[in-house]
């Protein structure tokens, strides 16, 4: 089925996030879409050999340039081998690349952008170009619904007791979110209208049913 629709995909800089994006990219290209996967050079170089020949003309790579930071050389523009204490710096550098990401949108003019929920700022940039945009969650329904309840409805008991954080981890999680009060709220009501989710009804049927009832 032929189509001229072009989709720009923008995953977080980790292979555990890029891999689900690639799986979706293959499914979309099977339906005739053209895919442009945007990431840093070190990530693109690590996945180029993972693209089967049949997708070589329909999945394209677009390099995103991150700003030069002394503590974050190019080989750290990925979570692979990144020292844990630089994780926040990588998030910061990616967010600082807004102008470069905006330029990519301006030049490519995609019909749709699919971005990672870990970088909510991307939606604001895409909206400035009047391009339709949806987010994707790579961690599954159970984990997301737990954290949604934990952060947005702290007084509500999560209906699946097997999924929980120990008290000490709950404290750390709240402290982490409180450190950056000005960060875009990726769980805000107005930011939850359309979201793709890597899940399976065979595995997470109960969670998906419960989650669907919560969001109406």
């Amino acid at each position: 089925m032929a189509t001229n629709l072009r989709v720009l995909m923008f995953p977080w800089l980790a292979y555990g996030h890029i891999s689900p994006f690639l799986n979706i990219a293959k499914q979309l290209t099977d339906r005739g879409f053209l895919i442009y996967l945007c990431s840093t050079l070190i990530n693109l170089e690590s996945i180029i050999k993972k693209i089967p020949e049949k997708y070589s003309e329909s999945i394209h790579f677009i390099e995103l340039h991150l700003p030069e930071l002394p503590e974050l050389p190019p080989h750290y523009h990925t979570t692979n081998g990144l020292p844990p204490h630089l994780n926040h710096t990588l998030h910061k550098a990616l967010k600082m690349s807004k102008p470069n990401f905006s330029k990519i949108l301006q030049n490519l003019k995609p019909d749709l952008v699919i971005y990672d929920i870990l970088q909510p700022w991307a939606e604001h940039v895409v909206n400035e170009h009047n391009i339709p945009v949806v987010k994707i969650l790579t961690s599954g329904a159970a984990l997301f619904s737990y954290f949604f309840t934990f952060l947005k409805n702290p007084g509500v008991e999560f209906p699946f007791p097997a999924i929980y954080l120990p008290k000490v981890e709950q404290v750390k999680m709240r402290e982490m979110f409180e450190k950056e009060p000005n960060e875009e709220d990726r769980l805000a009501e107005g930011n939850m209208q359309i979201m793709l989710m890597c899940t399976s009804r065979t595995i997470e049927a109960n969670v998906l049913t419960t989650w669907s009832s919560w969001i109406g």
Side-chain angles (χ1 to χ4, degrees), residues 161-181:
I163 302 173
Y164 69 95
L165 279 178
K167 292 295 183 181
V168 63
E169 296 298 332
Q170 292 183 27
V171 172
K172 291 181 181 179
M173 182 63 62
R174 293 201 184 281
E175 290 177 348
M176 182 183 72
F177 275 82
E178 290 171 358
K179 282 182 180 179
E180 297 185 1

Side-chain angles (χ1 to χ4, degrees), residues 90-164:
L90 183 60
H91 274 278
K92 176 184 175 181
L94 183 59
K95 190 173 181 179
M96 290 171 61
S97 72
K98 282 182 181 182
N100 295 336
F101 182 62
S102 181
K103 190 67 174 181
I104 289 173
L105 295 173
Q106 180 181 339
N107 293 336
L108 183 62
K109 295 179 174 61
D111 298 287
L112 175 69
V113 173
I114 301 176
Y115 74 96
D116 200 302
I117 195 173
L118 290 185
Q119 45 224 37
W121 57 265
E123 181 165 351
H124 301 289
V125 178
V126 178
N127 286 338
E128 292 174 353
H129 293 267
N130 296 313
I131 299 172
V133 57
V134 297
K135 62 178 66 64
I136 183 171
L137 173 74
T138 61
S139 59
L143 182 62
F144 178 78
S145 58
Y146 174 82
F147 282 112
F148 183 90
T149 304
F150 175 74
L151 295 170
K152 304 299 291 185
N153 301 292
V156 176
E157 182 178 355
F158 192 62
F160 304 99
I163 302 173
Y164 69 95

